């Protein structure tokens, strides 16, 4: 998605009220620096209902809107050539700067095991080899990455759970996060 005018449509989550059923603001993944597993989700976008006001805005472009509000993985498009995927909770919209990865219904992989592979140094190395501009990691190059024939062991999911737990603890210990999240 592109808002076409971020000053009009985008805020930090602490600038708006996020409670209530008739939510005007939803989480907005814009990318940012390099971060694995979780984080870089401090922005919200004015959405209202099904996003009609933003969709009618002449400068805005809503791409892959059928994928909004789904669980998946996101990463920063411009991250100095290092791939770091983060979990999408399923209550966000993603931007061009934070492309998203989704599993197919028939996949034998879980998001946790896929994130383990994509967050590896091998995946970062291979995506830099495949990309003509290693500073930008476009979604088409992720599709070219060779994946193991079988997902990693259940230990991978346990490691992801530990990493997510550490990240959530850090976020909860932050005063602003405790007040607004």
């Amino acid at each position: 998605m592109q808002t076409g005018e971020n000053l009009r449509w985008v805020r930090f989550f602490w600038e708006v009220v996020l409670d209530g059923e008739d939510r005007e603001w939803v989480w907005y993944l814009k990318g940012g620096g390099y971060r694995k597993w979780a984080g870089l989700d401090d922005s919200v976008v004015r959405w209202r209902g099904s996003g009609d006001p933003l969709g009618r805005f002449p400068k805005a472009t809503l791409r892959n809107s059928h994928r909004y509000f789904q669980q998946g993985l996101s990463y920063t498009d411009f991250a100095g050539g290092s791939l770091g995927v983060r979990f999408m909770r399923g209550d966000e919209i993603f931007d061009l700067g934070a492309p998203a990865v989704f599993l197919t219904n028939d996949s034998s992989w879980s998001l946790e095991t896929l994130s383990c592979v994509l967050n590896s140094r091998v995946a970062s190395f291979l995506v830099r080899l495949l990309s003509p501009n290693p500073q930008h990691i476009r979604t088409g190059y992720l599709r070219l990455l060779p994946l193991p024939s079988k997902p990693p062991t259940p230990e991978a999911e346990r490691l992801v759970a530990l990493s997510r737990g550490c990240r959530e603890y850090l976020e909860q210990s932050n005063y602003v996060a405790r007040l607004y999240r």
Side-chain angles (χ1 to χ4, degrees):
M1 178 174 80
Q2 286 179 287
T3 65
E5 197 173 312
N6 280 356
L7 289 176
R8 179 180 190 159
W9 298 100
V10 180
R11 300 285 183 272
F12 288 109
F13 72 89
W14 58 82
E15 295 179 276
V16 300
V17 176
L18 291 173
D19 292 334
E21 289 183 26
D22 186 27
R23 290 182 22 188
E24 181 175 354
W25 299 91
V26 298
W27 294 104
Y28 184 46
L29 304 177
K30 293 179 44 167
Y34 173 74
R35 177 84 46 90
K36 290 182 182 181
W37 314 115
L40 299 179
D41 54 354
D42 56 1
S43 296
V44 291
V45 65
R46 179 175 280 149
W47 188 248
R48 285 194 198 139
S50 60
D52 292 336
L54 181 59
R56 288 193 305 268
F57 186 62
K59 297 178 184 177
T61 306
L62 306 181
R63 292 183 179 90
N64 297 313
S65 58
H66 65 285
R67 292 291 194 178
Y68 296 166
F69 309 110
Q70 290 186 13
Q71 289 186 343
L73 300 172
S74 179
Y75 63 95
T76 300
D77 163 80
F78 186 80
S82 293
L83 179 61
V85 299
R86 299 172 296 277
F87 289 94
M88 294 171 48
R89 296 179 306 267
D91 60 352
E92 308 103 337
I93 296 173
F94 53 94
D95 187 286
L96 287 175
V101 176
F102 301 97
L103 294 174
T104 60
N105 291 337
D106 60 345
S107 177
S108 61
W109 289 69
S110 69
L111 289 174
E112 288 78 11
T113 54
L114 182 59
S115 70
C116 282
V117 172
L118 294 179
N119 276 333
S120 70
R121 289 184 183 203
V122 172
S124 281
F125 176 77
L126 290 174
V127 82
R128 284 193 303 268
L129 283 177
L130 294 169
S131 177
N133 180 355
Q135 297 296 313
H136 285 280
I137 303 172
R138 304 284 190 214
T139 54
Y141 298 107
L142 286 186
R143 287 191 197 116
L144 298 174
L145 288 176
L147 291 176
S149 57
K150 292 190 299 187
T153 66
E155 286 298 308
E157 292 194 20
R158 192 172 70 83
L159 292 172
V160 170
L162 286 171
S163 297
R164 289 173 94 178
C166 290
R167 179 67 192 161
E168 288 170 6
Y169 173 77
L170 290 174
E171 286 180 355
Q172 289 174 0
S173 65
N174 181 335
Y175 179 74
V176 173
R178 279 188 293 166
L179 285 176
Y180 293 101
R181 250 199 156 157

